[in-house]
Amino acid sequence: MGRGCLVRKKAVGAALFGLLMVAGCSSGGGGGSTPSASAPSGKAGGAPSTASPGGDTAAVEAAYRKWKLKPFAAPPAPPAEKPVKAKPGEVPVVSDIPTQEKIVFVTFDDGAEKDPKFVEMMRDLKIPFTMFLTDDIIRGDYGYFKPLQELGNSIENHTLSHPNLRTLGEAAQKNEICTQEKKLGKEYGKAPGLFRPPYGNWNENTRAAAKTCDIRAMVLWRESMQITNMQYQRGDKKLHPGDIILAHFRGPKELKGTSMTEMTANMLRHIQEQGFTVARLEDYV
C-alpha cells in the first residue's frame, strides 16, 4: 500500500473520531441522556446523595415504614469535648446532659426480655441506645445482646443481682458493681464505664464503690417509658434537650400483651412528635 493511501485512511479515521466525539458531547449536555453507570451520582466528592430516588433515603424510609414509623433527623455531630465532667475524686451523677440541641438519649435496663424482633428492629432503624444489664437476668443468654452491641450500642453496668443499694454497705455495693464490671468485660470484650443503680437508689457509699470500680459516671433518667406513654419527672410533662429516657427489656407478660417492639415504637413516636432526635449517650458522658 502506498504512502498516499495511508495518509488518506488516517485522515478519514480522524474525521470519524471527531464526529463521534461531537455526538457524544452533545448528547451528554442534553436532558434526555442516561449517566454512565460508573459516574458518581451523588454529592461532591463521590458521596451518594441521600435524596436520590432509590438511594439511601428510600431504603431508610422503607425500613421505618416496616415498623410504622417515620425516619428521624440525623443527630448533630458529637461535641469535641464531652460536657459531663467529674469533680476531682468524685463520680458524677447525671439525669440529663447539658446541651441546647434537641436531642435525647435512649436507654434499656435489666435484660429480661430477649425478643429477636427487637434485634431486627434496631438493625433496621439504627437508633443509638445504651444497655444497662444485670447478670442475674442475662446470664441464661449472654449471646442475645451481642448483635445489639455489634450495631454500636454499648453494654453498661446495672449490678449483679439488682438490689436496692441503699440497703447495702459499701463492701457489698462494691461487690455488686465491680464483679459485674469484670463479668461484662469478659463476656462483651469491654468493661463498662457507666453505671445505673437499680431503681435509681444510691447513696455516697454507692458513689465511693463506683469510683473504686473505675466507673466514670452514674446514669439516672428524666423520663421512663411505660407501654404507650412516658412518665415525666418535670411538671410540664415534656422532653427537654439532653434528657435521658429509661426503658426496659420487657415483653408481653410485663407489658399487658404489648411486645417490646411495639413499646419501643411508641417511645420513638413520643420523641419525634416533640421535635427531638436520638443521640448516642457515650458521646456525651
Side-chain angles (χ1 to χ4, degrees):
M1 185 181 292
R3 179 176 175 83
C5 290
L6 284 172
V7 169
R8 283 195 298 275
K9 282 180 176 288
K10 287 180 180 179
V12 170
L16 286 172
F17 178 76
L19 287 171
L20 288 171
M21 289 297 292
V22 169
C25 289
S26 62
S27 66
S33 66
T34 303
S36 167
S38 62
S41 58
K43 299 177 183 178
S49 170
T50 57
S52 60
D56 292 349
T57 298
V60 169
E61 288 175 349
Y64 273 76
R65 273 198 308 273
K66 175 179 172 180
W67 302 100
K68 300 179 181 178
L69 294 165
K70 295 179 181 180
F72 277 89
E81 188 175 346
K82 294 182 180 182
V84 174
K85 296 179 175 62
K87 295 179 181 178
E90 190 175 277
V91 175
V93 182
V94 298
S95 300
D96 50 59
I97 303 301
T99 180
Q100 297 302 311
E101 303 280 1
K102 291 207 73 176
I103 55 175
V104 294
F105 305 93
V106 171
T107 66
F108 289 91
D109 276 15
D110 301 344
E113 179 69 10
K114 301 171 183 66
D115 184 354
K117 281 284 186 182
F118 180 73
V119 178
E120 180 184 344
M121 182 186 206
M122 292 297 103
R123 188 177 287 125
D124 287 344
L125 303 185
K126 298 176 174 60
I127 297 289
F129 63 93
T130 304
M131 296 169 276
F132 290 91
L133 302 181
T134 298
D135 191 66
D136 278 2
I137 298 173
I138 69 169
R139 68 173 57 163
D141 190 0
Y142 290 123
Y144 171 81
F145 303 95
K146 291 181 179 179
L148 296 172
Q149 182 191 34
E150 288 166 2
L151 293 173
N153 305 300
S154 74
I155 291 174
E156 306 293 347
N157 192 330
H158 199 41
T159 71
L160 280 174
S161 63
H162 209 276
N164 178 355
L165 293 174
R166 289 179 186 165
T167 67
L168 304 179
E170 184 177 341
Q173 292 198 42
K174 180 180 175 182
N175 179 62
E176 284 283 342
I177 301 168
C178 291
T179 307
Q180 179 66 338
E181 282 287 290
K182 294 173 184 175
K183 282 181 173 285
L184 292 175
K186 179 181 177 182
E187 290 296 333
Y188 300 106
K190 183 180 179 182
L194 305 178
F195 169 67
R196 173 169 284 161
Y199 317 107
N201 291 344
W202 65 279
N203 54 27
E204 288 304 320
N205 283 337
T206 314
R207 199 200 294 258
K211 186 177 187 306
T212 302
C213 303
D214 294 326
I215 296 295
R216 69 175 183 270
M218 295 202 298
V219 179
L220 303 181
W221 60 89
R222 283 291 186 181
E223 291 80 30
S224 60
M225 185 63 200
Q226 304 305 304
I227 299 173
T228 58
N229 294 311
M230 287 187 190
Q231 287 184 350
Y232 297 86
Q233 293 179 3
R234 298 185 185 91
D236 62 6
K237 307 296 183 186
K238 293 179 181 178
L239 295 171
H240 289 244
D243 278 2
I244 297 169
I245 301 171
L246 165 66
H248 290 85
F249 285 94
R250 289 177 177 164
K253 183 178 178 181
E254 297 82 12
L255 300 175
K256 299 181 180 180
T258 301
S259 69
M260 185 171 177
T261 55
E262 290 169 330
M263 178 271 290
T264 301
N266 291 336
M267 174 177 60
L268 296 177
R269 289 188 194 101
H270 282 295
I271 294 169
Q272 201 168 56
E273 286 164 1
Q274 295 185 52
F276 287 81
T277 194
V278 182
R280 191 178 309 281
L281 180 63
E282 293 75 17
D283 291 338
Y284 290 76
V285 62

